[in-house]
Amino acid sequence: MKLQVRKAGKINSEISVPGDKSISHRAVMLGALAQGPTTVTNFLMGADCLSSIDCFKKMGAEFSRPDNNTIIVKGNGLYGLREPQDVLDVGNSGTTIRLMLGILAGQPFFSTVTGDASICKRPMGRVTEPLLEMGAVIDGRQNGSLAPLAVRGGVLKPIKFNSPVASAQVKSAIILAGLYARGQTEICEPHKSRDHTERMLAYLGAEIEVNPGDVKIKGGPTLSGKPVEVPGDISSAAFFMVAAAAIPGSRLIVKRVGLNPTRTGIIDVLKNMGAEITILNEDEVNGEPVGDICVCGSELKGTVIEGSLIPRLIDEIPVITVAAAAAAGETVIRDAAELKVKESNRIAVMAVELRKLGVNVSELEDGMIVQGGGSLKGAVCESHDDHRVAMSMAVAGLLATGETVIKNTGCIGISFPGFAETLAGLTDSANI
Ligand code: S3P
């Protein structure tokens, strides 16, 4: 599959984006550990979340799909899963493998997990090491630090874990293992990462304490199935927010998007760069803030993105580099070495692809410097099988003269089924 995109005029539109990927994964997993049904509306039917469903089906959780955006998860309680007869395959999903490892570590059975070529390159030691310390038996390639992995779980002992990285996947894996530990598990991280696991566990009845620097979870709770409404994914909204912000005179509203403060770094950055952003119709659903995001475009200027802001926009950095290319002056991104171990090495890959459009980019060990302001020229680009790279380059195509072609865009279905249609409706310029 490929996308062809032409330079866009002003955007004046109101759109919705699919449900949040992180919250959809957690609804599957926590629903599977809860007692009774969890009805999940606006569920993201993207390939990653379907991988989570597939894995938990193999462990006996039941799922039904009453309509296109709704699933009902029937769990049998914390100890209701059973030994899977086959390998658990997470596809491309880092969230599935890492969070599920935390759950598998506490199960009285044996399991094996694997994923696609990208998953088999991504670091798992950051999760398996603390789980080994809690008493799970885990082995795999490179001393248990790469998938495929084999897990023999059991009753765990609580630990105090100081995570070296600000990663919600690591934090969540240990929180979920903590459900199966005798006593209280404590997790600290260098900067606060997204806290959807904590919020959903509290909503379903777990005893969880969230402090500014740490999270404490008590083992052995009873989780009760409840309705979950998944907010629109701000990481998906970000592509269109950047497009509207970078085209002066544009006005875009994205309806009912998740506004959890651990995820709203993109709003702060676009405001710093000169876009006007307002929030309308604020609300709260299952412990998560939501609202409509209204973005008005203008001439953007470069900015610096670093420190505790990084985990609040880690998945938006590829599209932020596109905003940076369109902005006057220099944008510096640092403290973002985590980008090298995402679905692709997003520092190297975005540098290669932006250069094709004539953008001056230097790579840093932990980020990049983008010289903005030059005019972008359409080119033939590659997705590198990374959904966020593919969509970021499509946005770049809206800002570039002539035509931009993005090859291998099938990966977009990982997080944003319907992206091409939304893009086409917005600008009348994209074709699959
Ligand atoms: C996610 C956490 C982040 C993010 C990923 C989803 C989650 O990964 O990049 O897309 O749902 O917990 P890290 O925990 O590796 O930072």
Side-chain angles (χ1 to χ4, degrees), residues 326-348:
E330 185 176 275
T331 293
V332 181
I333 299 165
R334 39 179 179 247
D335 304 325
E338 277 296 299
L339 290 176
K340 297 199 252 182
V341 291
K342 293 294 177 189
E343 286 84 330
S344 69
N345 176 343
R346 288 181 174 162
I347 295 178

Side-chain angles (χ1 to χ4, degrees), residues 271-336:
K271 277 186 179 169
N272 279 344
M273 295 178 87
E276 195 191 301
I277 303 188
T278 44
I279 306 298
L280 313 163
N281 299 320
E282 284 182 69
D283 195 1
E284 194 179 300
V285 284
N286 29 267
E288 294 280 353
V290 296
D292 302 344
I293 303 177
C294 177
V295 183
C296 292
S298 66
E299 302 289 346
L300 300 181
K301 55 183 194 310
T303 188
V304 177
I305 303 167
E306 60 187 353
S308 59
L309 185 53
I310 295 292
R312 297 182 53 234
L313 44 66
I314 188 72
D315 290 342
E316 289 66 78
I317 292 177
V319 78
I320 286 172
T321 65
V322 175
E330 185 176 275
T331 293
V332 181
I333 299 165
R334 39 179 179 247
D335 304 325

Side-chain angles (χ1 to χ4, degrees), residues 51-73:
S51 294
S52 280
I53 291 183
D54 188 54
C55 291
F56 281 82
K57 256 189 196 164
K58 285 185 175 151
M59 292 189 277
E62 284 172 43
F63 294 84
S64 56
R65 185 171 164 168
D67 67 51
N68 262 346
N69 298 311
T70 307
I71 61 162
I72 302 172
V73 191

Side-chain angles (χ1 to χ4, degrees), residues 55 87-91 97 100 112-116 119-120 147-149:
C55 291
V87 177
L88 302 169
D89 186 346
V90 304
I97 192 166
M100 191 168 66
T112 48
V113 278
T114 194
D116 69 6
I119 280 293
C120 291
L149 294 160

Side-chain angles (χ1 to χ4, degrees), residues 140-327:
R141 289 162 56 231
Q142 307 249 335
N143 244 338
S145 65
L146 289 178
L149 294 160
V151 184
R152 189 167 286 287
V155 178
L156 301 175
K157 64 170 194 281
I159 56 168
K160 187 171 174 203
F161 176 56
N162 251 315
S163 177
V165 279
S167 158
Q169 292 176 356
V170 172
K171 176 177 63 173
S172 300
I174 309 312
I175 292 176
L176 293 171
L179 297 173
Y180 296 93
R182 289 216 171 101
Q184 180 175 271
T185 298
E186 193 177 328
I187 304 114
C188 308
E189 51 181 349
H191 294 296
K192 188 168 167 115
S193 63
R194 65 191 66 190
D195 62 1
H196 306 298
T197 305
E198 295 90 308
R199 286 174 190 249
M200 199 177 290
L201 276 171
Y203 175 68
L204 300 180
E207 261 188 78
I208 184 160
E209 183 185 319
V210 179
N211 301 305
D214 63 43
V215 179
K216 295 183 178 116
I217 177 88
K218 276 232 179 77
T222 301
L223 304 177
S224 313
K226 276 193 183 178
V228 172
E229 177 191 330
V230 181
D233 197 329
I234 193 167
S235 298
S236 297
F239 299 106
F240 300 111
M241 290 167 66
V242 165
I247 303 174
S250 294
R251 185 169 183 275
L252 173 74
I253 295 180
V254 195
K255 303 285 286 176
R256 220 163 164 77
V257 179
L259 293 171
N260 181 316
T262 60
R263 300 284 300 281
T264 49
I266 178 72
I267 296 179
D268 299 350
V269 163
L270 290 178
K271 277 186 179 169
N272 279 344
M273 295 178 87
E276 195 191 301
I277 303 188
T278 44
I279 306 298
L280 313 163
N281 299 320
E282 284 182 69
D283 195 1
E284 194 179 300
V285 284
N286 29 267
E288 294 280 353
V290 296
D292 302 344
I293 303 177
C294 177
V295 183
C296 292
S298 66
E299 302 289 346
L300 300 181
K301 55 183 194 310
T303 188
V304 177
I305 303 167
E306 60 187 353
S308 59
L309 185 53
I310 295 292
R312 297 182 53 234
L313 44 66
I314 188 72
D315 290 342
E316 289 66 78
I317 292 177
V319 78
I320 286 172
T321 65
V322 175

